[in-house]
Amino acid sequence: MLSKSVRALGQSGVSRRSFSVLSRVFGSSNMPRVPLDEPLTDDVVVNNTSKVERQAPQVTTLDNGVRVVSADDSTVLSSVSVHVDFGSRDEHPVFQGATQVLERMSLKSTIPMTELATVRAVSNVGANLYSQGGRESLTYGAESMRDDAPFLLQILSNIINKHLYSSWELTDVLEAIKTEIKEQKPHMDSSEVLHRVAFGNETLGKSAFPSLESLESFNSSVLHDHVKAFFTADKVVVSATGVDHAWLVAAANEHFGNLEKMDKSVAQRAPAQYKGGIERLGATDESTDITELTLAFPSHGIDHKDIIPMCVLQSLMGGGSSFSAGGPGKGMYSRLYTEVLNKHYWAMSAQSFNMLYTDASLLGLNMIVPASNAGEATQTLCQQAVGMAGPIDAAALTRAKNQLKASVYTNMESLHLNVEDMARQVLSQGKVDSVADVCAKIDAVKAADVQRVAKDMLKQTPSVVVSGNGTHVPSFSDIRAQLKQ
């Protein structure tokens, strides 16, 4: 339609423009000159109301137990991933950090292709290949143009079924990890410590990073043994968007139909057991004048009915930093902004967060303050925690639910987040909830639901992490007493 309108304009005598020197060098434009101060005629206006409908996710289980899930949105882009239900919570203490080592080795040489050949082949099609390990899963994925999905699924198949785990490549990876541990000390990260305080040294409390001692235990045979033991059919989900489901099922059967089911002799995943407590990092370190406080409470697993109200509560609390560049719209009407950052000039940051897993979750509050204000900050943080179970303004609740729904829709725009979410849902509940269903559950949340969830969490022993100069932070018993007021 647009091309016809442009041709019509050319035939109607609209003048063409010559651009002097540049025109002589590059040639004059053949496009008609349309005046910007005159309204477009009806035949030029393009009213494109076409809309690409995203199909509902489809789930198929192969004969050997591998599950295949996809949603075809008919776009030119596709994302394909292989999601393995294995993470740091499943590791043996001797092989702590196996998930991280497998993640780092993922793009190394396989039997059909060297690392260089893989990088070149992926680069030639303009694709993005990635791997990501966590506490409960290890994901290998790729994003590309739709036509290249078969090739990339073959690459992912090579990583899982035909990896060399060569000793010289493994040595390079282990040395790089050792350097990172010595320089960055990931075990001292507040998030890592929080998991350890909340769940002890078991299940979700196990470190997501290897130690210098455990790195000495890794060799090629150990990695092959991990793949054989944990990359089994019942633990693998092939997830994709932007592909035909029938094709994906056939391709998954070709590449992963040979995977065996899990050996019953392999220990099953132990359920998470919440503990709570306090840990102080550098509590007597007066070389810094900054204190970071983290206060967290437990809740249920990701499939529990209380998870949606808990997420609404986190959205309600919101938060951010005392300085925020850019325009409005970053949660500045959330509680931690209006009741903490706007009232306490010394508060450098006040944020809420949640961490969701299959059988447990955490909702937390975090503040960064000058060390001299740490005592007052602790009291403020406890007051905010107690207030979670108190009255909720109707407008604030509506705002929190709308913001949570906006986050859900925004995540749908990310290819890798989309395929990861579908895979996690299939692993946990065997199906995929539509966005409309999730948003309907959010809309159904009442103030009483949020208050009930908050009260249940406050009954539990809190998990507290103090980083930096903690000389002004009160004792754990004092913190617990403040939470009972």
Side-chain angles (χ1 to χ4, degrees), residues 374-426:
E376 188 177 354
T378 303
Q379 182 180 12
T380 300
L381 212 57
C382 290
Q383 289 173 348
Q384 289 300 312
V386 173
M388 294 190 304
I392 300 176
D393 179 72
L397 179 62
T398 300
R399 187 184 304 116
K401 292 196 289 187
N402 287 340
Q403 189 167 356
L404 182 58
K405 289 189 292 183
S407 297
V408 172
Y409 280 107
T410 300
N411 287 339
M412 290 295 295
E413 299 299 320
S414 170
L415 294 178
H416 80 271
L417 288 180
N418 199 351
V419 295
E420 180 182 352
D421 179 66
M422 289 194 300
R424 289 188 65 181
Q425 289 194 55
V426 168

Side-chain angles (χ1 to χ4, degrees), residues 38-51:
E38 298 180 7
L40 293 173
T41 57
D42 292 340
D43 63 335
V44 178
V45 176
V46 177
N47 183 21
N48 185 5
T49 58
S50 62
K51 180 180 179 181

Side-chain angles (χ1 to χ4, degrees), residues 37-244:
D37 58 349
E38 298 180 7
L40 293 173
T41 57
D42 292 340
D43 63 335
V44 178
V45 176
V46 177
N47 183 21
N48 185 5
T49 58
S50 62
K51 180 180 179 181
V52 177
E53 293 291 343
R54 183 176 185 270
Q55 295 182 5
Q58 300 181 65
V59 182
T60 300
T61 302
L62 304 183
D63 292 339
N64 64 340
V66 171
R67 282 161 287 186
V68 182
V69 56
S70 72
D72 188 1
D73 52 10
S74 301
T75 64
V76 297
L77 299 177
S78 68
S79 178
V80 181
S81 75
V82 181
H83 195 88
V84 184
D85 191 25
F86 168 77
S88 61
R89 70 177 295 176
D90 305 303
E91 297 167 357
H92 189 281
V94 175
F95 303 114
Q96 174 186 326
T99 306
Q100 287 291 318
V101 176
L102 287 167
E103 176 192 330
R104 301 291 186 92
M105 288 293 294
S106 61
L107 305 184
K108 302 299 182 180
S109 300
T110 60
I111 294 175
M113 303 176 73
T114 64
E115 178 186 7
L116 178 59
T118 301
V119 172
R120 281 183 171 177
V122 172
S123 298
N124 284 339
V125 298
N128 175 37
L129 200 61
Y130 65 90
S131 59
Q132 182 176 2
R135 282 187 154 75
E136 292 191 313
S137 63
L138 179 58
T139 301
Y140 304 102
E143 298 173 353
S144 68
M145 303 298 287
R146 186 185 184 99
D147 293 341
D148 297 314
F151 164 70
L152 292 174
L153 189 60
Q154 175 67 66
I155 296 291
L156 299 181
S157 173
N158 292 342
I159 293 174
I160 291 180
N161 295 314
K162 301 178 181 179
H163 208 297
L164 285 175
Y165 296 115
S166 62
S167 58
W168 64 274
E169 288 181 326
L170 177 59
T171 298
D172 288 344
V173 167
L174 295 180
E175 287 301 318
I177 296 176
K178 287 179 183 179
T179 301
E180 291 180 16
I181 292 175
K182 294 176 181 178
E183 294 180 354
Q184 301 177 14
K185 296 180 174 59
H187 301 84
M188 303 295 284
D189 177 77
S190 58
S191 175
E192 276 292 296
V193 178
L194 177 61
H195 281 83
R196 183 166 66 244
V197 172
F199 301 102
N201 291 314
E202 301 295 329
T203 62
L204 294 172
K206 292 181 180 179
S207 176
F209 299 94
S211 64
L212 292 175
E213 293 75 21
S214 67
L215 287 176
E216 301 299 325
S217 303
F218 288 102
N219 55 45
S220 180
S221 297
V222 168
L223 296 185
H224 280 295
D225 289 343
H226 273 76
V227 171
K228 182 178 180 181
F230 295 103
F231 288 33
T232 52
D234 50 309
K235 286 181 169 289
V236 170
V237 174
V238 180
S239 178
T241 61
V243 301
D244 177 71

